[in-house]
Amino acid sequence: MIIVLKSGTPEQEIQRINEEFHKRNLRPEKSVGSSKVVFGLIGDTALVEPSQIYQISPFIERVKRITHPFKRASIEFRNGKSSEVIVSTGNGVAVFGHHCPLHLIAGPCSVESEEMIVETAKHLKNMGVQFLRGGAYKPRTSPYSFQGYGESALDWLASARQATGLGIVTEVMDTEDVEKVVEVADILQIGARNMQNFSLLKRVGSQKKAVLLKRGMSATIEDLLMAAEYVLAAGNPNVILCERGIRTFDRQYTRNTLDLSAVPVLRSLTHLPIMVDPSHGTGKAEYVPAMAMAAIAAGVDSLMIEVHPNPAKALSDGPQSLTLERFKRLVEEMSTISNFFGRELQKPNLTATLQRMYSKHTTKIPSI
Ligand code: PEP
Ligand code: MN
């Protein structure tokens, strides 16, 4: 149930209303918007009549039931407003959200060596990317396929972070590994195969780092939102949803079917930021640019794209990985497309911008 207070409700009254909810065993969660305060009441509110709520205070403007099974994730829970997920990286703060610049997360499927990930990170940083992705723990269909370099790969990601300041996005597959991954990652990825691993969802919900939740390959949109609800209910409000393709009947020409309709549908249902991964969504590098741009047109808030310095030699997901050169061109193309749709691509880092400006006039770059 959602309780919207009138604009200008005095702070003391807000506190009193909060206490009244507690007295009635209704667990309130307060969110403060630019002009209004909204309470979400969680728990069994089925027997609570809106008229009883209105009696609590004359400052209560509106009482509304949330009919969806996902409560905290629903757009009503934030009174129709999108929420923002704030992540600090070595280069500053990045804000994921519908009214924020579009963020790019790029990097190889797997972290293959320290040199490979540090070099790739440096190139990506120069292209204006703020987040480096790379798997240390890899969920593979076959137990005989490369499983990731685990803890060593986490150390290599830490080196890449130190060398570039890029934020780190990496997958955690097991509750036992959460502590180790949290040490290095700025965003914890929950992969498609683990979307309904409820113990893992509760565990990442009980720590503070942002969570990137990928849609399971046979998950409905409601399944995805209910999985997000687990993380939110465990106390972590920083969840980003990712559409990465679902299983349909064609596996000959594409690996998955990228469900771009999920973007506007999710937008209408949830306040959480939305990401698209066109790499797993198509499984083929040649289709990635078109779908990345289509995702921007569909209104996505961020994109995750697999990029490898030598896709032919990649230990996993080479066929869907873009080369650094192709990705660089795609960044320019995406920038044009996002401007067209009134959305700015995240700002390239300041050093790179200054470097370009100054290279026209002088060879000396001032230190910043
Ligand atoms: C990945 O990001 O490399 C990955 C394994 O993704 P997904 O869980 O979507 O398959
Ligand atoms: Mn992959």
Side-chain angles (χ1 to χ4, degrees):
M1 192 174 254
I2 299 301
I3 295 29
V4 183
L5 303 191
K6 292 179 182 163
S7 309
T9 303
E11 189 49 45
Q12 252 184 337
E13 181 64 2
I14 297 172
Q15 271 178 30
R16 194 188 65 78
I17 296 171
N18 193 24
E19 281 158 24
E20 289 294 328
F21 290 144
H22 279 289
K23 276 190 213 158
R24 288 165 170 75
N25 280 335
L26 302 167
R27 281 170 286 139
E29 271 187 30
K30 187 173 81 170
S31 52
V32 182
S34 52
S35 70
K36 288 187 180 167
V37 169
V38 179
F39 282 104
L41 301 183
I42 304 292
D44 196 3
T45 52
L47 296 177
V48 179
E49 282 303 320
S51 58
Q52 294 170 273
I53 301 288
Y54 280 114
Q55 276 167 18
I56 292 175
S57 165
F59 287 95
I60 292 177
E61 183 176 271
R62 198 156 52 89
V63 178
K64 205 176 157 224
R65 282 194 198 283
I66 302 179
T67 47
H68 301 296
F70 43 91
K71 307 290 180 195
R72 289 175 167 90
S74 78
I75 186 100
E76 288 88 3
F77 202 73
R78 295 292 174 101
N79 200 23
K81 294 208 173 64
S82 315
S83 59
E84 291 175 348
V85 170
I86 300 169
V87 184
S88 52
T89 73
N91 289 327
V93 167
V95 187
F96 290 78
H98 191 43
H99 302 289
C100 309
L102 223 136
H103 291 285
L104 299 179
I105 292 118
C109 181
S110 307
V111 177
E112 299 177 4
S113 73
E114 183 165 32
E115 193 195 355
M116 172 261 201
I117 199 70
V118 172
E119 286 309 307
T120 305
K122 285 181 181 166
H123 284 292
L124 293 172
K125 184 183 178 182
N126 285 336
M127 296 174 202
V129 167
Q130 264 179 322
F131 287 89
L132 175 70
R133 61 143 291 144
Y137 299 95
K138 293 307 305 176
R140 305 304 300 278
T141 303
S142 166
Y144 310 117
S145 302
F146 173 62
Q147 304 283 308
Y149 285 122
E151 282 183 49
S152 308
L154 289 179
D155 290 343
W156 302 334
L157 281 169
S159 304
R161 191 184 199 281
Q162 201 172 20
T164 60
L166 291 188
I168 302 294
V169 182
T170 195
E171 177 163 355
V172 58
M173 285 172 55
D174 199 310
T175 47
E176 278 180 17
D177 299 327
V178 171
E179 255 170 62
K180 272 181 284 179
V181 177
V182 159
E183 291 281 300
V184 175
D186 298 290
I187 301 180
L188 302 178
Q189 178 173 325
I190 302 292
R193 291 157 190 81
N194 266 318
M195 190 205 81
Q196 284 186 318
N197 179 340
F198 300 116
S199 0
L200 186 59
L201 296 175
K202 287 181 199 168
R203 180 68 188 83
V204 297
S206 67
Q207 56 79 55
K208 290 198 166 62
K209 292 274 166 84
V211 174
L212 163 56
L213 182 62
K214 297 187 96 179
R215 179 178 182 183
M217 53 190 93
S218 48
T220 62
I221 286 177
E222 190 165 297
D223 292 336
L224 172 63
L225 290 168
M226 291 309 287
E229 193 77 10
Y230 265 88
V231 182
L232 302 173
N236 189 344
N238 299 310
V239 178
I240 301 165
L241 303 170
C242 181
E243 165 58 44
R244 49 76 72 201
I246 49 173
R247 281 274 161 85
T248 58
F249 43 84
D250 195 335
R251 299 214 66 206
Q252 190 180 358
Y253 299 113
T254 53
R255 184 179 178 185
N256 291 295
T257 299
L258 186 64
D259 177 13
L260 283 183
S261 66
V263 177
V265 173
L266 284 169
R267 186 74 69 210
S268 71
L269 293 173
T270 181
H271 55 87
L272 297 171
I274 306 165
M275 179 185 291
V276 163
D277 166 357
S279 307
H280 293 85
T282 59
K284 294 197 179 160
E286 63 192 292
Y287 306 136
V288 169
M291 296 316 282
M293 289 195 273
I296 295 173
V300 81
D301 307 320
S302 57
L303 283 143
M304 177 186 257
I305 297 176
E306 285 189 340
V307 179
H308 194 284
N310 186 355
K313 292 267 164 66
L315 295 180
S316 60
D317 286 349
Q320 68 192 33
S321 300
L322 297 184
T323 59
L324 287 160
E325 295 73 29
R326 183 64 188 96
F327 180 69
K328 188 166 191 263
R329 263 195 293 137
L330 178 59
V331 173
E332 280 158 24
E333 290 159 0
M334 288 190 294
S335 177
T336 310
I337 288 283
S338 43
N339 286 343
F340 177 81
F341 285 101
R343 196 83 183 268
E344 197 186 352
L345 209 59
Q346 67 186 21
K347 289 225 163 46
N349 67 71
L350 197 57
T351 324
T353 312
L354 281 181
Q355 215 143 11
R356 263 199 307 276
M357 272 167 53
Y358 275 85
S359 63
K360 287 191 189 139
H361 307 290
T362 165
T363 49
K364 207 159 167 258
I365 301 155
S367 57
I368 50 168

